[in-house]
Each structure stands twice: as C-alpha cells, then as structure tokens.
C-alpha cells in the first residue's frame, strides 16, 4: 500500500552522478563542498550533532530494556556490528568539520545575507529543540512503563537465539562460519567494485533490491558510488542473515519462524533509507528546504507519539479528509436496535422486490464494519442491496475498561443471537442468511455449534465465512506473537487494563508488512515532512477498536494456542462441547491466496470438519483486497468440487475464474433465499407496525475511537 513514490525529478548532484571516475575520497570532498555551500542556510554540523545525540539517547533507552535480562549471545553479532559500523562511519563521513574563518572570507554583502540566514536557521533549530523535547518526553513515558508484553517477546527472542545456536552447533557446526566468511568476501568484493566504478568496464552489482522494494528507487542509490555501496552492503548483510536463519538445519520450525520474523523486523528498521544521513533523497530535500522538512517531520512525529499507545502508531492517511456518513460509509440506512455490545443497522432497499430471507453481516470486532462500505464503487453493502437482499449489519461497540469480563459467549448471546431475534421481529422470518468476516466468522462457527447442541440450528439458514480460520495450527505471521509466555503476559495486561488497546494491535498488524505499512510512512511523514494523502482504506485501517480482556484471552488461549475449535469435543463453550461436524446447514467459505492474517489453508480445513454441504472458494490477493473485490475488481478466484484432505492437492487441481467471487456467491446464496417479497423499509415491521429508529446509518458506535473509549468512565 505504498502511495508515495520517490520524486525522481529532483535536482541530482552532477559531481556525484556524472563524474563516475572519481574515487570515494573525491566523493567525500564533493559532498563536503555541497554541505558547506548550504551551511549558511542551515547549520548541518550543529544539527547533525544534535541528531546523533538523539539517536544515542534512543539507543540508551532501548539498551536499558535489554539490561534487565541476561541476553543470550547472538550468533549474528559480528554481522550486526559490521553493519552498525558502516552506518556510524557513514554518519561521520556525511558530517565534515566546517573550516575555520570561512565566513570572514566572504564579501560584506554576502556576510549580511548570511547573518539573516543564520538567524532563520537559529529559529529553525529552536523549533527543533522544542519539538525534540516533546518527542523524548513521550518516549520516556513509554520506556518507564512496566511492559510485560515487551519483556515476554524479548525473553522469547533470547530463548530463540539459544535454541538456534545450540541446534546449529549440533546439526550444522560450520554453517555460521561459512556464512560469516561469505559475507566478508562479498563485502570486500563490493569495496573493490566501488573503487573500480569509475573505470570503463561496467561493474555489475553484487545484489539488487527485490521486485517491489521501493526503498531504493532514488537514482542516487545507483549513480552515487557511496550510496550504491551502502545499499549493497545493507542488502548483502540482510540477505545473508535471513538465508542462514531460513535454511540452516537443526532448528525447529516455531523457533525458525520467530527468529525470521523478528530479525526481519530489526533489519528493515536498520535500513539506510530510514535515516537522514544515509538516504540521498532526504539529504537533498533537507538541503533544498533548509531543514524545514525535518522540523515538519518532528512536529508530526510528536503529534503521533501523543496519540499512540506503547508502540508508535504512524499516521498513514489524512484523518481530517474523511467524515463517516458524509464521504465514507454513506449507504443509507437506520439504526434499529442498540445495546451495550452493538448497534443493528437496517439498510434502505434499492429494489422493489427483495429476497424473503434477510441477510445479516457479522463483522470482526477488532476493526469497524465500514470496510464493507468505504465508497460506492466497492461497497459490498450497496452491492448486496442492489442484488435484492434485505441487509442488516452489526456495528460493534468500542469497548471501555468496564467491558473487562465480556467474553465470547456474551458476544454470542447479547450480540449475534440478539440480532437474529430483532431481525425476526422486524421481518417475520424465523431464519436468516448470515455472513461472518474474520473473527466474526469464528463467532458464527461457535454459535452454529451452540445452536445445534441446543436444538436451535434452524435459526440460521446458511452461513458464509470470509477469511475465517478453522485450523489454527499455522496462524501465519501472527503466530510469532502467540505462545504460553506471551499469552500469559497479554492476560496480565488485560487484568490491569481491562481491554487490549486497539492502537497497539493496529501497529502490530502494520508490522506484519513493515516496509509497506510502517517504515515507508515513517520516512514520508517524519523525514520528508510530508502530510499523508487521503486514502479511505488506510483511514479505516487506522480506526482501531479495543478488545475486552476476557474475549482476547479466550481467542488467544483456546483458539490460537490450543487450536480447539477444529477438534471434536475439546472446546467447552457456554455449556456445550464444540463439534462442528454436527453443523449441517449449507456453508460457503471464501479464503484468499495471499492472506497473511488468516492463511487460506486454515480456512480450507472447514471442508474437512463441517458436517453439511460446504462450498470452498479461494480468492486472489489478501485479507482485505481479496474479500472486498467487487465485480469491477481485478482479482479472480479458484474452485474445485473435490475437497481432498490435502489443500495443496486441491489447489493443484482447482480451476481459475477471472471474475469476482461475489458473482459466484450470488448464485449460491440465491438457492437459500426462499423467494421474494416486497422491499422492507427501516422503521416498519412485516405487520405494518412502526419500529424504533435510533439514528441514521452508520450509527453512533462507529464514531467512537479507541483512545476515546479508553478514557471513558461509562460502561
């Protein structure tokens, strides 16, 4: 979701990009001249020292966390030191000392102009100092907190390194030595190539960024020998470390996944594109704007820190550009019911006749429902109305700390089952077709089992599952956060806070795709000083919701950690033993091929455990784009009617359809819609009596943000 590309039209340095025959020491001279020429507009030496001082403060704060535990020896310590030294040396290279008495050598007219510019620079530095103090004040607040979650993750990393070192020593004793030697050889070859870059022979790079890596698109990363060296040195180090972790024998898969994930996080955080002194585009922009980009960036960083939880939530879009009910979530409807857990929205029909059986959508409560109604052209709700459905949607409340003990069974009784009761009173229909999205689908599956055991299965005529996990044995990247130690830490946090902060969850989800959903916005917002552009999807993505402590614990411990939903009779749920094989209503399950939150094979398991007629569809793309894929969308889907046990075997035989799965589902759901009736208007029951209208769609609950809910004292 990278929305800003590097501006390749900016002025390139002729001395750096065109005079390729110069050696690195000559490049240093040119860069020094360039910086000295602009020092009268912005004091780079003073700012650079302050910048490095701030980095040192951050490093000291981070180090204080690690000093609390006995950190295991890191087998990649040499690689990390090698790369860190290159960053340090490059920082020194980019900060040459200013020659003495340079100002006195200029004519009086230039001296007067310089004094004015220096006053302006001093003012900039004053603003920067004030903003820096705010930033570090916010940082200290977070570092000073007792964070059980961070400590548990850190201890997991320590255990992981120990297991990795022990396993490699036993199974592949020479692997690390060979990897280290190979890296040193590559780095030495890169150094030689850099020295020879000015020769007539074309020197092919030792390594290039992967396709889609937008961090190094600026031409200076290739044309300038210094930045090209830095880029390749980083990529060689990163690729070498990741290859060793991913391919070395002697490590169990869980440890490998965890080390791979967190090492990738560290490497991407340390990319030279993320730092002022090692990003040519940022250096150029800073000189051209006389440092104003950094002042704007630090202001935005401080604002984001103030609105963040324990982890920095980077603003990805212009929040002021969207107003719910005005230019987003605009499909017309009415709130016809409200309790402490949800509002029920009944949407205005768009056809004269509608399907007799109403359609209820159960969205996930870790995000808000309007992902299905961002704008008219990709609104699933609007499309379903045009298809003749009577659409009802549950809009979940954003929990306050008072919701601490609200559990999954409460979301079933006060949520889904209550919504079915209200719909029955309004429409007169005893059964509804129900859609569950992500964790809303987990609630739907458990409710189906509960209804079956309590002889009430006929309340739901058909069930559709969007991106819903049934088998949690491989939960994807989320699995690196989930083990007994981390779940226990999260439970302690929930016991203290009452809810799990949705802002923290949102930042964690962004780090699952850190380069496209985190660090690119870090560079854009804080180093370039740009304001994020309006983007409705990212606005929704940033509109987090909290999760109650009891519910969070249930999902993590019983489903993710215990994987009990797929096993017959293993999960005790509100007085019943869950057995999905007894659920015999028709079901439609759609997963997506590139989903990193709910991996498709975990959804495919539904074909093996549900007892009724199951239709499984595999869409292209991921957790959001693959689901919200209207008929005008670009993604297709796969089907195959023989649901063998092995999902890979099913996929190998599946047929590709170059259209939206919505159209396929529409044909399927028509078989379970029980004919047609006159359209239903909100506020009138099937008997013609008036029904309460509480507000216009999208309702009131959807407006409550996570931080507002945390500050609330009301239940």
């Amino acid at each position: 979701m990278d929305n800003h590309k590097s501006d390749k039209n900016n002025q390139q340095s002729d001395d750096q990009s065109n005079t390729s025959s110069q050696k690195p020491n000559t490049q240093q001279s040119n860069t020094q001249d360039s910086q000295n020429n602009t020092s009268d507009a912005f004091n780079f030496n003073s700012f650079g020292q302050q910048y490095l001082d701030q980095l040192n403060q951050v490093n000291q704060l981070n180090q204080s966390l690690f000093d609390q535990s006995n950190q295991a020896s890191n087998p990649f310590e040499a690689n990390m030191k090698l790369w860190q030294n290159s960053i340090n040396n490059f920082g020194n290279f980019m900060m040459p000392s200013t020659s003495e008495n340079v100002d006195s050598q200029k004519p009086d007219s230039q001296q007067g102009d310089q004094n004015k510019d220096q006053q302006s620079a001093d003012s900039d530095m004053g603003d920067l100092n004030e903003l820096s103090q705010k930033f570090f004040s916010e940082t200290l607040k977070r570092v000073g907190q007792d964070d059980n979650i961070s400590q548990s993750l850190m201890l997991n990393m320590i255990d992981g390194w120990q297991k990795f070192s022990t396993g490699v020593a036993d199974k592949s004793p020479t692997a690390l030595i060979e990897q280290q030697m190979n890296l040193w050889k590559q780095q030495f070859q890169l150094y030689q190539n850099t020295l020879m870059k000015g020769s007539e022979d074309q020197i092919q790079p030792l390594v290039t960024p992967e396709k889609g890596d937008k961090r190094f698109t600026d031409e200076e990363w290739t044309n300038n020998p210094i930045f090209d060296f830095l880029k390749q040195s980083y990529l060689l180090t990163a690729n070498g470390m990741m290859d060793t972790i991913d391919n070395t024998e002697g490590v169990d898969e869980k440890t490998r996944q965890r080390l791979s994930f967190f090492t990738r996080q560290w490497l991407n955080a340390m990319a030279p594109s993320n730092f002022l002194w090692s990003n040519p585009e940022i250096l150029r922009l800073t000189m051209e704007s006389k440092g104003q980009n950094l002042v704007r960036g630090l202001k935005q960083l401080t604002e984001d820190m103030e609105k963040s939880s324990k982890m920095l939530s980077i603003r990805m879009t212009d929040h002021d550009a969207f107003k719910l009910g005005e230019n987003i979530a605009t499909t017309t409807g009415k709130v016809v019911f409200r309790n402490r857990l949800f509002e029920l929205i009944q949407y205005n029909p768009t056809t004269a006749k509608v399907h007799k059986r109403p359609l209820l959508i159960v969205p996930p409560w870790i995000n808000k429902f309007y992902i299905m109604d961002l704008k008219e052209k990709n609104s699933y709700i609007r499309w379903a109305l045009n298809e003749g459905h009577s659409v009802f949607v549950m809009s979940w409340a954003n929990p306050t700390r008072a919701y601490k003990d609200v559990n999954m069974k409460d979301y079933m009784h006060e949520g889904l089952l209550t919504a079915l009761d209200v719909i029955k009173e309004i429409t007169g229909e005893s059964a509804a077709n129900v859609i569950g999205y992500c964790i809303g689908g987990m609630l739907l599956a458990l409710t189906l089992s509960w209804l079956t055991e309590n002889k009430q299965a006929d309340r739901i005529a058909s069930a559709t599952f969007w991106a819903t996990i049934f088998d949690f044995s491989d939960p994807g990247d989320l699995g690196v956060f989930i083990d007994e130690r981390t779940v226990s830490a999260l439970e302690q946090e929930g016991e203290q806070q009452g809810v799990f902060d949705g802002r923290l969850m949102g930042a964690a989800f962004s780090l699952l795709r850190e380069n496209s959903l985190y660090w690119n916005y870090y560079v854009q917002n804080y180093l370039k000083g740009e304001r994020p552009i309006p983007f409705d999807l990212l606005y929704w993505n940033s509109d987090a919701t909290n999760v109650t402590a009891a519910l969070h614990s249930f999902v993590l411990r019983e489903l993710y950690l215990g994987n009990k939903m797929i096993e017959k009779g293993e999960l005790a749920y509100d007085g019943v033993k869950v057995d999905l094989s007894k659920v015999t209503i028709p079901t439609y399950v759609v997963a997506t091929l590139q989903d990193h939150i709910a991996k498709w094979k975990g959804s495919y398991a539904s074909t093996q455990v549900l007892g009724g007629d199951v239709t499984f569809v595999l869409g292209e793309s991921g957790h959001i784009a693959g689901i919200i894929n209207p008929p005008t969308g670009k993604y297709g889907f796969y089907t195959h009617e023989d649901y063998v046990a092995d999902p890979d075997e099913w996929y190998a035989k599946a047929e590709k359809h170059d259209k939206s799965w919505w159209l396929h589902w529409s044909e399927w759901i028509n078989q379970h819609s029980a004919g047609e009736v006159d359209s239903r208007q909100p506020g009138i029951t099937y008997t013609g009596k008036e029904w309460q209208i509480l507000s216009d769609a999208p309702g009131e609950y959807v407006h409550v943000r996570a931080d507002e809910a945390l500050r609330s004292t009301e239940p």
Side-chain angles (χ1 to χ4, degrees):
M1 297 181 182
D2 300 27
N3 301 302
H4 289 270
K5 297 183 178 179
S6 299
D7 184 0
K8 296 184 179 179
N9 296 322
N10 284 335
Q11 182 74 31
Q12 302 291 319
S13 172
D14 293 336
D15 291 336
Q16 291 178 334
S17 60
N18 297 330
T19 313
S20 58
S21 62
Q22 295 174 333
K23 300 288 190 283
N25 59 345
T26 307
Q27 292 289 339
Q28 178 175 349
S29 175
N30 290 336
T31 304
Q32 180 171 343
D33 291 340
S34 176
Q35 289 191 356
N36 286 340
N37 289 339
T38 60
S39 63
D40 56 344
F42 191 85
N43 191 334
F44 276 89
N45 294 310
S46 299
F47 175 77
Q49 187 58 53
Q50 183 185 35
Y51 177 82
L52 293 180
D53 289 343
Q54 291 175 356
L55 288 181
N56 288 333
Q57 291 182 51
V58 174
N59 289 334
Q60 291 171 7
L61 294 172
N62 291 335
Q63 188 63 44
S64 66
L65 294 177
F66 287 93
D67 290 343
Q68 298 173 11
S69 303
N70 296 322
Q71 189 173 8
S73 175
N74 187 329
F76 292 110
E77 184 175 2
N79 294 8
M80 293 181 177
K81 284 185 177 179
L82 177 66
W83 172 242
Q84 288 175 325
N85 286 339
S86 69
I87 285 285
N88 293 336
N89 293 335
F90 191 76
N92 293 331
F93 165 77
M94 293 304 295
M95 274 181 35
S97 300
T98 305
S99 302
E100 295 181 1
N101 301 322
V102 172
D103 293 342
S104 62
Q105 299 173 8
K106 296 182 178 181
D108 291 343
S109 59
Q110 294 184 16
Q111 184 72 42
D113 292 339
Q114 179 181 348
N115 290 338
K116 293 180 181 179
D117 291 336
Q118 186 61 48
Q119 291 176 359
S120 175
D122 290 342
S123 176
D124 295 339
M125 291 302 296
D127 293 341
L128 202 59
N129 281 327
E130 182 180 354
L131 292 170
S132 299
Q133 292 299 320
K134 289 182 180 180
F135 168 65
F136 284 106
S137 175
E138 291 295 326
T139 302
L140 284 169
K141 287 180 185 178
R142 288 158 176 77
V143 173
Q145 295 173 347
D146 180 18
D147 191 348
N148 294 324
I149 301 173
S150 295
Q151 291 178 10
S152 69
L153 292 174
M154 182 180 64
L155 291 173
N156 280 341
M157 282 299 298
I158 294 172
D159 291 346
W161 285 127
Q162 289 175 336
K163 292 179 180 179
F164 183 84
S165 300
T166 302
V168 171
D170 292 341
K171 301 290 186 179
S172 310
T174 62
L176 288 177
I177 298 175
E178 292 174 354
Q179 190 270 345
Q180 186 70 54
M181 291 299 297
N182 184 52
L183 177 61
W184 277 101
K185 290 178 182 178
Q186 290 176 320
Q187 294 285 1
F188 184 72
Q189 182 63 53
L190 175 60
Y191 178 71
Q192 289 184 314
N193 289 355
T194 302
L195 293 178
M196 297 173 61
K197 194 169 185 180
S199 65
E200 294 182 0
D201 296 333
Q202 293 294 323
I203 305 297
Q204 294 298 317
L206 295 179
V207 62
T208 57
E210 293 183 357
K211 183 180 180 181
D213 187 347
K214 301 181 180 181
R215 294 174 295 178
F216 305 105
T217 55
D218 190 88
E219 293 178 357
E220 286 287 273
W221 287 113
T222 300
N223 296 338
N224 186 308
I226 297 298
F227 290 113
D228 183 45
F229 173 87
L230 192 62
K231 173 191 68 178
Q232 292 193 58
S233 174
Y234 164 77
L235 292 174
L236 289 172
T237 303
N239 293 347
M241 292 174 64
M242 294 304 299
D243 287 344
T244 301
I245 292 174
D246 293 340
N247 300 318
T248 302
E249 296 181 358
V251 186
D252 67 274
E253 196 57 32
K254 184 71 173 180
T255 298
R256 191 191 306 277
Q257 288 179 353
R258 179 173 286 120
L259 288 182
S260 180
F261 177 83
F262 285 107
T263 301
R264 191 189 81 209
Q265 294 294 325
W266 182 86
L267 288 169
N268 286 330
M270 290 298 296
S273 53
N274 294 338
F275 297 92
L276 167 65
W277 300 111
S278 53
N279 186 323
E281 183 184 6
I282 304 305
L283 279 171
R284 186 171 63 246
L285 178 61
T286 302
M287 288 186 282
E288 291 173 351
S289 71
K290 301 179 181 179
Q292 287 302 304
N293 58 308
L294 301 177
V295 175
R296 293 192 303 269
L298 192 53
K299 182 175 185 296
Q300 293 184 153
L301 174 59
T302 303
E303 292 172 353
D304 288 352
M305 285 285 289
E306 291 174 345
K307 295 178 181 179
S308 297
S309 182
K310 295 178 181 179
M311 184 186 298
L312 174 63
S313 296
I314 301 177
R315 202 177 334 172
M316 295 186 288
T317 187
D318 182 0
H319 291 171
D320 296 332
F322 298 101
K323 299 294 183 184
L324 290 170
E326 295 182 12
N327 61 355
I328 194 171
T330 58
T331 301
T332 57
K334 305 292 183 182
V335 175
V336 295
F337 177 82
R338 178 187 296 130
N339 64 14
R340 65 169 181 160
L341 286 186
F342 78 102
E343 291 179 327
L344 183 64
I345 303 173
Q346 180 182 1
Y347 285 92
N348 296 341
T350 59
T351 58
K353 295 287 186 178
V354 295
H355 296 296
K356 184 180 181 184
R357 192 163 282 154
L359 178 67
L360 171 63
I361 303 176
V362 185
W365 49 80
I366 57 174
N367 292 108
K368 294 182 178 177
F369 80 90
Y370 62 89
I371 184 61
M372 296 173 285
D373 191 30
L374 289 178
K375 49 193 173 186
E376 183 173 354
K377 69 177 184 179
N378 66 352
S379 170
Y380 178 85
I381 293 173
R382 192 182 296 268
W383 175 82
L385 290 169
N386 292 338
E387 289 291 300
H389 292 281
S390 294
V391 179
F392 294 80
V393 173
M394 301 177 72
S395 173
W396 298 106
N398 208 335
T400 68
R401 300 183 195 277
Y403 285 67
K404 174 182 176 180
D405 297 322
V406 174
N407 209 325
M408 182 70 91
K409 65 179 182 180
D410 300 304
Y411 272 72
M412 178 177 71
H413 287 290
E414 296 183 51
L416 177 51
L417 294 181
T418 296
L420 290 173
D421 288 338
V422 174
I423 292 172
K424 180 180 179 180
E425 290 186 57
I426 292 175
T427 66
E429 293 299 312
S430 60
N433 294 318
V434 182
I435 297 172
Y437 191 176
C438 188
I439 200 169
M442 298 176 201
L443 173 63
L444 175 57
L446 293 175
T447 302
L448 287 172
S449 180
W450 187 90
L451 288 172
T452 300
E453 296 292 343
N454 285 278
K455 312 301 181 185
Q456 301 179 44
D458 57 355
R459 296 179 65 181
I460 296 178
S462 75
T464 299
F465 296 93
W466 294 356
T468 300
I469 303 176
F470 287 80
D471 180 3
F472 292 81
S473 59
D474 182 10
D477 287 344
L478 286 177
V480 303
F481 296 107
I482 301 170
D483 61 9
E484 180 58 42
R485 176 183 284 151
T486 306
V487 170
S488 295
L490 289 166
E491 288 173 337
Q492 293 179 39
E493 180 82 4
E495 184 65 28
Q496 297 170 2
Q497 303 297 327
V499 296
F500 185 67
D501 193 330
R503 295 170 297 172
L504 184 58
M505 185 177 296
F509 274 111
S510 293
L511 287 174
L512 297 180
R513 291 294 180 267
E514 65 279 3
N515 284 335
S516 60
L517 289 178
Y518 200 83
W519 291 114
N520 66 313
Y521 293 106
Y522 175 91
V523 172
Q524 172 189 307
N525 295 1
Y526 309 144
L527 298 185
K528 293 183 180 180
E530 297 175 354
R531 299 290 295 182
I533 66 171
F535 190 5
D536 53 3
L537 178 61
L538 292 179
Y539 176 83
W540 167 84
N541 191 58
S542 302
D543 193 3
T545 51
N546 305 316
V547 180
T548 73
L551 179 60
H552 197 224
S553 175
F554 175 87
V555 171
L556 291 180
R557 184 167 293 282
E558 302 296 333
L559 302 185
Y560 276 91
L561 193 58
N563 195 18
K564 294 180 179 179
M565 190 165 74
I566 200 173
E567 300 293 338
K568 295 181 181 180
E570 286 294 315
L571 178 59
Y573 179 64
D574 193 32
V576 305
K577 295 289 187 178
V578 172
D579 183 355
L580 295 180
S581 67
K582 296 181 180 180
V583 175
T584 58
I585 68 168
T587 53
Y588 186 101
V589 182
V590 57
T592 53
L593 195 58
Q594 286 86 37
D595 194 335
H596 61 283
I597 295 174
K599 298 184 75 170
W600 76 268
K601 294 179 182 179
S603 296
Y604 179 82
S606 61
T607 64
Q608 308 301 305
V609 298
L610 290 170
D613 181 17
V614 181
T615 299
F616 180 80
V617 170
L618 180 61
E620 292 183 302
S621 193
H623 195 71
I624 301 300
I627 297 297
I628 307 302
N629 180 40
T632 56
K634 59 183 179 180
Y635 301 117
F637 64 93
Y638 298 84
T639 61
H640 185 56
E641 294 182 357
D642 184 11
Y643 300 117
V644 295
D646 184 0
D648 288 322
E649 182 181 344
W650 176 90
Y651 180 59
K653 298 178 180 178
E655 178 186 359
K656 170 76 180 300
H657 306 271
D658 292 321
K659 59 181 180 181
S660 169
W661 67 265
W662 290 14
L663 301 174
H664 184 268
W665 175 84
S666 182
E667 296 176 1
W668 179 86
I669 198 67
N670 286 343
Q671 303 171 34
H672 310 289
S673 296
E676 291 185 336
V677 296
D678 291 337
S679 61
R680 304 175 175 111
Q681 298 294 329
I684 303 175
T685 70
Y686 72 102
T687 62
K689 293 183 179 180
E690 290 187 2
W691 184 271
Q692 62 179 355
I693 297 295
L694 302 179
S695 69
D696 291 331
E700 297 179 4
Y701 283 176
V702 73
H703 290 281
V704 180
R705 302 188 69 86
D707 56 330
E708 296 172 345
L710 287 172
R711 292 193 300 268
S712 175
T713 58
E714 298 295 328

